Amino acid sequence: MGFNMKIAIRSISLILLIGLLMVVGCKDSTTSPSSNIATPLTLDASEIEESSFIANWTAIYNADMYILDVSTSIEFDNYVEGYNHRNVFGTACIVDGLDSDTRYYYRVRATGEEGTSGYSEVVSVQTLFVDYFYAHFYNQMYTDIEVTLTGYGTQTVAPMQTTSFELLKSDGSYFYRGTTSGHTNQGDVVGLVLEGYDTINMVGSENTIDFYYNDSFFFLMMKNIGSVELGPLYVNYQQSAQTMDQVVIPNDSVTYNIGYYEAYNNTMVAAYWLNQSYYSYWQHGQNFTLPWADNQSVTLINNSKKMLSFENSTRKSEIREGTTRKAMQKAE
């Protein structure tokens, strides 16, 4: 009995050993031992851009979701931020925030109630190389300039500052438009709106556009140290180019930026005394002199203490001062 018992024990041990070998020999290398979920088939990436692509794979019928890994290493020694065992519902995922002209690798697993599959085959994808062109805009004027590039939006560049746009060099050229004007604290336009625009061919890697205005215009600044507030304001008074701005210039001895106006040999600036029928005026060649240069400006100072009248077409005034500023010189 004892002899027969030993034979039985050895027979059972042998059967168990043979069974274990059969399980190991038939193991599917693409699935984990505890999983009944097949491994997805990874497909080529699509919609490849400079900083993104779409990872694709086949569906597994009993999977609830998929686990995606993306790396710059084929061994997956590192992971792209946000794509380390990322859960995905569906069979595609946008991978973004990438570097241009860089090779990436991705793999995927299926997971569900019946377990998790093994890793899929690794797919490699190279993001696009993009050559950029940089367009710079320098503001030599007295007011902010709104610079718009078609397809690239709008930026504001302050006086004596530069702003830049990053463009795709493959565009070949770009169209820009810059606009500026004087304005009130409420944002209302004062004086003329100056505008510049052009289409520029991209040559090299960058270029700079200088914004300035020629001697056909001048920028007006005013300082009122008189006894009354001034407004409204007329420039090129009683001429075909006359403009009128409903602004108030306080008598606070502060120099205010007003706006851009056309420049003539007989330019005259007139400012009414607020709510009165009197005015102060400044005549080119008498009270101020334009230098006839690019970006020219003039600061007019009002120190009138007595009333100035239109009555009977006569003009009476006290001292009216005019000073000329060099190009790009700021108000004190």
Side-chain angles (χ1 to χ4, degrees), residues 110-131:
T111 186
E113 293 182 358
E114 300 183 49
T116 300
S117 74
Y119 288 108
S120 67
E121 294 288 334
V122 175
V123 170
S124 69
V125 53
Q126 179 108 2
T127 52
L128 298 182
F129 169 75
V130 177
D131 196 6

Side-chain angles (χ1 to χ4, degrees), residues 136-140 157 160-163 208-211 328:
H136 310 293
F137 297 88
Y138 177 51
N139 180 4
Q140 300 185 44
V157 54
M160 309 309 297
Q161 298 297 317
T162 299
T163 192
T208 299
I209 304 297
D210 293 326
F211 282 117
M328 296 183 288

Side-chain angles (χ1 to χ4, degrees), residues 136-211:
H136 310 293
F137 297 88
Y138 177 51
N139 180 4
Q140 300 185 44
M141 301 171 69
Y142 291 90
T143 51
D144 291 350
I145 299 177
E146 296 292 316
V147 183
T148 300
L149 267 65
T150 301
Y152 291 94
T154 299
Q155 296 185 29
T156 300
V157 54
M160 309 309 297
Q161 298 297 317
T162 299
T163 192
S164 301
F165 290 80
E166 184 181 73
L167 315 177
L168 295 175
K169 195 170 183 180
S170 58
D171 290 347
S173 64
Y174 64 91
F175 177 82
Y176 75 86
R177 184 184 303 275
T179 58
T180 189
S181 69
H183 57 81
T184 66
N185 292 335
Q186 292 72 39
D188 298 325
V189 171
V190 179
L192 303 176
V193 176
L194 300 187
E195 180 179 73
Y197 55 88
D198 201 358
T199 297
I200 304 297
N201 293 323
M202 298 181 191
V203 178
S205 61
E206 62 182 343
N207 71 348
T208 299
I209 304 297
D210 293 326
F211 282 117

